[in-house]
Amino acid sequence: MSEPAASPEPTASPEPTASPEPTASPEPVASPEPAAPRPESTRTGPGRLLVAVYGLFALSASARAVVQIATKFSHAPVAYLLSAFAGAVYILATVTLTNGSPTARRIAVLSCSVEFAGVLAVGTWSLLDRATFPDATVWSGYGSGYGFVPLVLPVFGLLWLRYWARRAGTRRTVVPAPGDAGEAAEAADAGADVKSV
Amino acid sequence: MSSVNGVVPTTIIVAGLALAGYALLMTALNRRVGLVLLAALGVLEILLLVLVGIIVARLVGGGRPASVATLIGYLIAMPFVPVIAGFWGAMERSRWGSAVFAVAGLVAAVLMVRLHEIWPAIHV
């Protein structure tokens, strides 16, 4: 009966000034994001972190190789040349992941694959034939000198690139409404893969 | 007297790890880079510049590590870590920007330990 009178709701009241508080105040709630925004390119979202770590290794591997080759090449030529090769692969991956065009992504898949094969091959080689590696490379012992980051980095790189390949694939082939749901589901699936560690 | 005072290097390691821990927490809470993280990265940058100054003074004073080239490389590269990570991470509008800051903190701490290995006169 007396509901309208007791109700503090401003919905019925004609003048907006009467109720200052319940007017759906959209308080700027600190910085928590309203659901993770969808990354726009291979260098945003999780790719931001991936590119940062790739850049770090591009710099450290190639700088290390330059110093080693310039100052004491004959000491361990194989190890130093492999360091230089690793540095080049990291530079290529960093640049292509930052670029993110379809062609760049294809080159990135190649360089991440070469990188993964390189870590496994050089890691095994360095354990079997210690004489060839008196000095460590980035990939010696499967990257044990670098917290095994060189071993897991290409895996995350390839997962990230797979997410983009699928996203691009669904966008190209599937048309209007049903495609959106499928694409979103697939994106969420691939995103979960990338984020799961 | 013959060694670099260990206060600044130790502070860099502690500050770097603290920054990394806080940034990882922000990543877990799904927060993007905020003022606290930016300020912490700025403090780390200042500490690194002080460290470079101390080491350069020692080089000028006649001290020499086994590999001068490596040391110089580190001295040039280290102050760029927070700067580049700061721009790269602050550009990101998701939690992954905070993750970049975490990497910067960890890298600063690791580089500090490596610096000590390159030149044990730099006490940690």
Coordinates of all heavy atoms in Angstrom, one line a residue, chain B residues 46-86:
Chain B
I46 N 66.5 4.3 -10.4 CA 67.5 5.2 -9.6 C 68.6 4.3 -9.0 O 69.8 4.7 -9.0 CB 66.7 6.0 -8.6 CG1 65.8 7.0 -9.3 CG2 67.7 6.7 -7.7 CD1 64.8 7.7 -8.4
L47 N 68.2 3.2 -8.3 CA 69.2 2.4 -7.7 C 70.2 1.9 -8.7 O 71.4 1.8 -8.4 CB 68.5 1.2 -7.0 CG 67.7 1.5 -5.7 CD1 66.9 0.3 -5.3 CD2 68.7 1.8 -4.6
L48 N 69.7 1.5 -9.9 CA 70.6 1.0 -10.9 C 71.6 2.0 -11.4 O 72.8 1.8 -11.6 CB 69.8 0.4 -12.1 CG 69.1 -0.9 -11.8 CD1 68.3 -1.3 -13.0 CD2 70.1 -2.0 -11.5
L49 N 71.1 3.3 -11.5 CA 72.0 4.4 -11.9 C 73.0 4.6 -10.9 O 74.2 4.9 -11.2 CB 71.1 5.6 -12.2 CG 70.3 5.5 -13.5 CD1 69.4 6.7 -13.6 CD2 71.1 5.4 -14.7
V50 N 72.6 4.6 -9.6 CA 73.6 4.8 -8.5 C 74.7 3.7 -8.6 O 75.9 4.0 -8.5 CB 72.9 4.8 -7.1 CG1 73.9 4.7 -6.0 CG2 72.0 6.0 -7.0
L51 N 74.2 2.5 -8.8 CA 75.2 1.3 -8.9 C 76.2 1.6 -10.0 O 77.4 1.4 -9.8 CB 74.4 0.0 -9.1 CG 75.3 -1.2 -9.3 CD1 75.7 -1.7 -8.0 CD2 74.6 -2.3 -10.1
V52 N 75.6 2.0 -11.2 CA 76.5 2.2 -12.3 C 77.6 3.3 -12.0 O 78.8 3.1 -12.2 CB 75.7 2.6 -13.6 CG1 76.6 3.1 -14.7 CG2 74.9 1.4 -14.1
G53 N 77.1 4.3 -11.3 CA 78.0 5.4 -10.8 C 79.1 4.8 -9.9 O 80.3 5.1 -10.1
I54 N 78.7 4.0 -9.0 CA 79.7 3.4 -8.0 C 80.7 2.6 -8.8 O 82.0 2.7 -8.5 CB 79.0 2.6 -7.0 CG1 78.1 3.5 -6.1 CG2 80.0 1.8 -6.2 CD1 77.2 2.7 -5.1
I55 N 80.3 1.8 -9.7 CA 81.2 0.9 -10.4 C 82.1 1.7 -11.3 O 83.3 1.4 -11.4 CB 80.4 -0.2 -11.2 CG1 79.6 -1.1 -10.2 CG2 81.3 -1.1 -12.0 CD1 78.7 -2.1 -10.9
V56 N 81.5 2.6 -12.0 CA 82.4 3.5 -12.9 C 83.5 4.2 -12.1 O 84.6 4.2 -12.5 CB 81.5 4.5 -13.7 CG1 82.4 5.5 -14.4 CG2 80.7 3.8 -14.8
A57 N 83.1 4.7 -10.9 CA 84.1 5.3 -10.1 C 85.2 4.4 -9.7 O 86.4 4.7 -9.7 CB 83.4 5.9 -8.8
R58 N 84.8 3.1 -9.5 CA 85.8 2.1 -9.1 C 86.7 1.8 -10.3 O 87.9 1.6 -10.2 CB 85.1 0.9 -8.6 CG 86.1 0.0 -8.0 CD 85.4 -1.1 -7.1 NE 86.3 -2.3 -7.0 CZ 87.4 -2.3 -6.3 NH1 87.8 -1.2 -5.6 NH2 88.2 -3.3 -6.3
L59 N 86.1 1.7 -11.5 CA 86.9 1.5 -12.7 C 87.9 2.7 -12.9 O 89.1 2.4 -13.3 CB 86.0 1.4 -13.9 CG 85.3 0.0 -14.2 CD1 84.3 0.1 -15.3 CD2 86.4 -1.1 -14.5
V60 N 87.4 3.9 -12.7 CA 88.3 5.0 -12.9 C 89.4 5.0 -11.9 O 90.5 5.4 -12.1 CB 87.4 6.3 -12.7 CG1 88.3 7.6 -12.7 CG2 86.5 6.5 -13.9
G61 N 89.1 4.5 -10.7 CA 90.1 4.4 -9.6 C 91.1 3.3 -9.9 O 92.1 3.2 -9.1
G62 N 91.0 2.6 -11.0 CA 92.1 1.6 -11.3 C 91.7 0.2 -11.2 O 92.5 -0.7 -11.6
G63 N 90.6 -0.2 -10.6 CA 90.1 -1.6 -10.4 C 89.8 -2.2 -11.8 O 89.3 -1.5 -12.7
R64 N 90.1 -3.5 -12.0 CA 89.8 -4.1 -13.2 C 89.2 -5.5 -13.0 O 89.9 -6.3 -12.3 CB 91.0 -4.2 -14.1 CG 91.4 -2.9 -14.8 CD 90.4 -2.4 -15.9 NE 90.8 -1.2 -16.5 CZ 90.5 0.0 -16.0 NH1 89.8 0.1 -14.8 NH2 90.9 1.1 -16.5
P65 N 88.1 -5.9 -13.6 CA 87.6 -7.3 -13.5 C 88.3 -8.1 -14.5 O 89.0 -7.6 -15.3 CB 86.1 -7.1 -13.8 CG 86.1 -6.0 -14.7 CD 87.2 -5.0 -14.3
A66 N 88.1 -9.4 -14.5 CA 88.7 -10.3 -15.5 C 88.2 -10.0 -16.9 O 89.0 -9.9 -17.8 CB 88.3 -11.8 -15.1
S67 N 87.0 -9.7 -17.1 CA 86.5 -9.4 -18.4 C 85.8 -8.0 -18.4 O 84.7 -7.8 -18.0 CB 85.4 -10.4 -18.8 OG 84.8 -10.0 -20.0
V68 N 86.6 -7.0 -18.8 CA 86.2 -5.6 -18.8 C 85.0 -5.5 -19.8 O 84.0 -4.8 -19.5 CB 87.3 -4.6 -19.1 CG1 86.8 -3.2 -19.0 CG2 88.5 -4.9 -18.1
A69 N 85.1 -6.1 -20.9 CA 84.1 -6.0 -22.0 C 82.7 -6.4 -21.5 O 81.7 -5.7 -21.7 CB 84.5 -6.8 -23.2
T70 N 82.7 -7.5 -20.8 CA 81.4 -8.0 -20.2 C 80.8 -7.0 -19.2 O 79.6 -6.7 -19.2 CB 81.6 -9.4 -19.6 OG1 82.3 -10.2 -20.5 CG2 80.3 -10.0 -19.3
L71 N 81.7 -6.5 -18.4 CA 81.3 -5.6 -17.3 C 80.7 -4.3 -18.0 O 79.6 -3.9 -17.6 CB 82.4 -5.2 -16.4 CG 82.0 -4.3 -15.3 CD1 81.2 -5.0 -14.2 CD2 83.2 -3.5 -14.7
I72 N 81.4 -3.8 -19.0 CA 80.9 -2.6 -19.6 C 79.5 -2.8 -20.3 O 78.6 -2.0 -20.2 CB 81.9 -2.1 -20.7 CG1 83.3 -1.8 -20.1 CG2 81.4 -0.9 -21.4 CD1 83.4 -0.6 -19.3
G73 N 79.4 -4.0 -20.9 CA 78.1 -4.4 -21.5 C 77.0 -4.4 -20.5 O 75.9 -3.9 -20.7
Y74 N 77.3 -5.0 -19.3 CA 76.3 -5.0 -18.3 C 75.9 -3.6 -17.8 O 74.8 -3.2 -17.6 CB 76.8 -5.8 -17.1 CG 76.4 -7.3 -17.2 CD1 76.9 -8.0 -18.2 CD2 75.6 -7.9 -16.3 CE1 76.6 -9.4 -18.3 CE2 75.2 -9.2 -16.4 CZ 75.8 -10.0 -17.4 OH 75.4 -11.3 -17.5
L75 N 77.0 -2.7 -17.6 CA 76.7 -1.4 -17.2 C 75.9 -0.6 -18.1 O 75.1 0.2 -17.7 CB 78.1 -0.6 -16.9 CG 79.0 -1.2 -15.8 CD1 80.2 -0.3 -15.6 CD2 78.2 -1.3 -14.5
I76 N 76.1 -0.8 -19.4 CA 75.2 -0.1 -20.4 C 73.8 -0.7 -20.4 O 72.8 0.0 -20.5 CB 75.9 -0.3 -21.8 CG1 77.2 0.5 -21.8 CG2 75.0 0.3 -22.9 CD1 78.1 0.3 -23.1
A77 N 73.7 -2.0 -20.4 CA 72.4 -2.7 -20.6 C 71.5 -2.5 -19.4 O 70.3 -2.3 -19.5 CB 72.6 -4.1 -20.9
M78 N 72.1 -2.6 -18.2 CA 71.2 -2.7 -17.0 C 70.3 -1.5 -16.8 O 69.1 -1.7 -16.5 CB 72.1 -2.8 -15.7 CG 72.5 -4.3 -15.5 SD 73.6 -4.4 -14.0 CE 72.3 -4.7 -12.7
P79 N 70.7 -0.2 -16.9 CA 69.8 0.9 -16.7 C 68.6 0.9 -17.7 O 67.6 1.6 -17.5 CB 70.7 2.1 -16.8 CG 72.1 1.6 -16.6 CD 72.1 0.2 -17.2
F80 N 68.8 0.2 -18.9 CA 67.8 0.2 -19.9 C 66.6 -0.7 -19.6 O 65.5 -0.6 -20.1 CB 68.3 -0.1 -21.3 CG 69.0 1.1 -21.9 CD1 70.4 1.1 -22.0 CD2 68.3 2.1 -22.5 CE1 71.0 2.2 -22.6 CE2 68.9 3.2 -23.1 CZ 70.3 3.2 -23.1
V81 N 66.9 -1.7 -18.7 CA 65.9 -2.7 -18.4 C 64.6 -2.1 -17.9 O 63.5 -2.3 -18.4 CB 66.5 -3.8 -17.5 CG1 65.4 -4.7 -16.9 CG2 67.5 -4.6 -18.2
P82 N 64.7 -1.3 -16.8 CA 63.4 -0.7 -16.3 C 62.8 0.3 -17.2 O 61.6 0.4 -17.3 CB 63.8 0.0 -15.0 CG 65.2 -0.6 -14.6 CD 65.8 -0.9 -15.9
V83 N 63.6 1.0 -18.0 CA 63.1 2.0 -18.9 C 62.2 1.3 -20.0 O 61.1 1.7 -20.2 CB 64.2 2.8 -19.5 CG1 63.6 3.8 -20.6 CG2 64.9 3.6 -18.4
I84 N 62.9 0.3 -20.7 CA 62.2 -0.4 -21.8 C 61.0 -1.1 -21.2 O 59.9 -1.1 -21.8 CB 63.1 -1.3 -22.5 CG1 64.2 -0.4 -23.2 CG2 62.4 -2.1 -23.5 CD1 65.3 -1.2 -23.8
A85 N 61.2 -1.9 -20.1 CA 60.1 -2.6 -19.6 C 58.9 -1.7 -19.1 O 57.7 -2.0 -19.3 CB 60.5 -3.4 -18.4
G86 N 59.3 -0.5 -18.6 CA 58.3 0.4 -18.2 C 57.4 0.9 -19.3 O 56.2 0.8 -19.2

